[in-house]
Amino acid sequence: EVQLLESGGELVQPGGSLRLSCAASGFTFSSYAMSWVRQAPGKGLEWVSVISGSGGSTYYADSVKGRFTISRDNSKNTLYLQMNSLTAEDTAVYYCANHFHTSVYTALDYWGQGTLVTVSS
Amino acid sequence: EIVLTQSPGTLSLSPGERATLSCRASQSVSTTYLGWYQQKPGQAPRLLMYGASSRATGIPDRFSGSGSGTDFTLTISRLEPEDFAVYYCQQYGSSPWTFGQGTKVEIK
């Protein structure tokens, strides 16, 4: 059974940093691209970032480019999102999701339950 | 950036009725790279359709997807009580990957 468990979300002050983690199990982690998707309170889904199975390809939404970094440790079956220079607009539930395939150009198959990041003073 | 516009914003229907949801893209999207997701309150999204018309694992056949180019449709042939939710389309063919703003299917 595929399981994705996000952690690391918490209350942080504007300008602060946070690192989210997503622990994966139930599939061959290194064979699948992974994404982060966020959802602000009461709003729709916003794709944040994607990384290929090998970690060699990464892409970012313009809203986070230069501030967020996606990475993965295939030996630990874990996906990360390093978030810097946080603003109130980054407040959201952050979901990790695995793609159908190692390619980033595939749908998001399984999703975690999300972790809440709140940016406020 | 490919903008996806979903309509209507809210669809009020009764169980047993047919639901037709639209997703229009600001530029052409290959059918290979168009997906639909369902989200219920307090839950993570769930993949319904990929490649515009292929059902994900475990998705009942009352759900179907169609379309090409800039116009795509998700159809629920007969609404069941568990189908009342928010539905999102997504393109994953070019960066940035984008979602539509969602269509809420509510009980009339």
Side-chain angles (χ1 to χ4, degrees):
Chain A
E1 179 191 4
V2 172
Q3 290 195 346
L4 299 169
L5 185 61
E6 302 94 338
S7 61
E10 63 182 50
L11 174 64
V12 61
Q13 291 192 339
S17 297
L18 210 54
R19 187 176 85 156
L20 305 183
S21 300
C22 171
S25 61
F27 63 103
T28 305
F29 184 67
S30 60
S31 295
Y32 293 85
M34 299 290 296
S35 271
W36 288 98
V37 176
R38 68 184 180 183
Q39 186 168 37
K43 303 297 185 183
L45 302 174
E46 179 188 14
W47 171 79
V48 173
S49 184
V50 63
I51 186 168
S52 62
S54 67
S57 296
T58 58
Y59 297 92
Y60 298 91
D62 287 346
S63 58
V64 307
K65 198 173 295 182
R67 300 188 299 123
F68 289 13
T69 302
I70 192 171
S71 62
R72 63 192 297 158
D73 185 336
N74 287 344
S75 68
K76 295 183 178 179
N77 290 349
T78 302
L79 174 73
Y80 302 100
L81 185 68
Q82 177 67 44
M83 304 186 296
N84 299 328
S85 303
L86 287 163
T87 73
E89 286 67 45
D90 297 315
T91 294
V93 173
Y94 285 73
Y95 296 101
C96 68
N98 77 331
H99 287 244
F100 245 62
H101 195 259
T102 187
S103 167
V104 300
Y105 301 105
T106 53
L108 300 172
D109 198 4
Y110 290 95
W111 298 61
Q113 283 306 301
T115 187
L116 176 62
V117 173
T118 303
V119 184
S120 175
S121 56
Chain B
E1 172 177 328
I2 297 177
V3 177
L4 300 179
T5 302
Q6 292 186 241
S7 60
T10 302
L11 202 49
S12 297
L13 295 168
S14 300
E17 289 194 293
R18 181 184 188 90
T20 303
L21 288 65
S22 173
C23 175
R24 179 162 291 178
S26 60
Q27 55 188 278
S28 184
V29 175
S30 168
T31 56
T32 303
Y33 304 120
L34 195 286
W36 290 92
Y37 302 83
Q38 177 193 66
Q39 187 178 33
K40 297 179 182 180
Q43 296 185 15
R46 176 174 71 147
L47 177 66
L48 292 177
M49 314 290 300
Y50 62 95
S53 60
S54 296
R55 278 186 296 276
T57 303
I59 302 304
D61 60 8
R62 64 179 181 271
F63 290 90
S64 63
S66 63
S68 63
T70 59
D71 290 300
F72 297 89
T73 300
L74 176 70
T75 301
I76 311 171
S77 60
R78 295 173 312 279
L79 282 164
E80 297 288 340
E82 61 268 27
D83 300 335
F84 291 92
V86 180
Y87 293 83
Y88 296 93
C89 59
Q90 184 212 15
Q91 69 80 22
Y92 41 88
S94 65
S95 180
W97 287 230
T98 48
F99 288 93
Q101 82 279 18
T103 290
K104 181 179 182 180
V105 178
E106 66 175 22
I107 299 177
K108 187 175 181 180

